[in-house]
Amino acid sequence: MPLSQTEAQGALRDISTAERASAKAYGYRLASPHLIVWGVVWILGYGVSYARPEWSAAWPVLALAGSIASFWIGWSNSCRTTGMKRDWRGLGTAAAIFAYVAAILIIMPPRTDAQAGAFFPILVALFYTLVGIWMRGTRMLIAGVAVAALTLGGYFLLPHYFLLWMAVVGGGALILGGIWLRNV
């Protein structure tokens, strides 16, 4: 028995809806390990900075390790899922972001450790929010807004405990967000 035009349009609409939901879930699954990696980096970096301020120099090492881990995760996923050769655009994007952020910090250096400690989470929150907006990913949007709100809340409401706040709440939120994205 042939389908009517209305039934066919409904079926195509359902297929399109399922395709978008599947793509979104897939994107969340790919983003999940990145949030977990950076959650661990934040716990270690902010935790060390709070407990031993003289060891704050650990941040560049942790940031480099986190960047390498994120790059490797993205590169591996790209090769495994698309069958394409490894693409260096991700590295170019990271280099461009690094250069622009460095330029901003040279022009307008933070005056306090708390300002430096809040700048990068707000930048990360912006990226997560933009990804959520562009991929219509409510969970990434929520993760971005949550990271921004938690950062600003700790910065303004708990200035003496800001680094500890960011270690526990900021790092923990990223890890929980990564787990949340994985379980779509």
Side-chain angles (χ1 to χ4, degrees):
M1 179 164 147
L3 291 175
S4 71
Q5 183 177 1
T6 305
E7 291 172 327
Q9 287 174 340
L12 289 173
R13 202 171 23 256
D14 291 344
I15 290 168
S16 179
T17 300
E19 181 182 28
R20 279 192 308 273
S22 176
K24 189 183 305 181
Y26 179 69
Y28 286 153
R29 194 158 192 67
L30 292 179
S32 170
H34 296 282
L35 270 73
I36 294 170
V37 163
W38 285 99
V40 170
V41 168
W42 284 19
I43 287 171
L44 294 173
Y46 285 108
V48 164
S49 296
Y50 178 78
R52 300 274 189 184
E54 65 274 11
W55 291 1
S56 292
W59 266 112
V61 174
L62 290 168
L64 180 62
S67 297
I68 290 169
S70 283
F71 179 75
W72 182 255
I73 290 166
W75 203 23
S76 297
N77 283 338
S78 175
C79 293
R80 185 177 63 249
T81 58
T82 64
M84 296 173 59
K85 292 183 180 178
R86 292 192 160 112
D87 186 352
W88 292 96
R89 288 180 296 174
L91 183 60
T93 300
I97 290 169
F98 177 81
Y100 280 87
V101 167
I104 288 169
L105 292 174
I106 290 168
I107 293 168
M108 297 179 291
R111 295 184 198 162
T112 67
D113 290 341
Q115 286 177 327
F119 175 77
F120 291 101
I122 295 295
L123 185 65
V124 168
L126 171 64
F127 290 136
Y128 291 157
T129 302
L130 292 175
V131 167
I133 290 168
W134 279 93
M135 70 179 259
R136 295 186 177 139
T138 307
R139 290 183 182 211
M140 282 298 281
L141 180 63
I142 290 170
V145 170
V147 168
L150 291 169
T151 301
L152 292 171
Y155 183 82
F156 288 112
L157 301 174
L158 302 165
H160 298 294
Y161 300 102
F162 176 66
L163 296 175
L164 180 61
W165 172 264
M166 290 305 296
V168 176
V169 177
L174 287 176
I175 292 170
L176 290 174
I179 292 168
W180 185 42
L181 292 180
R182 180 178 286 169
N183 295 323
V184 176

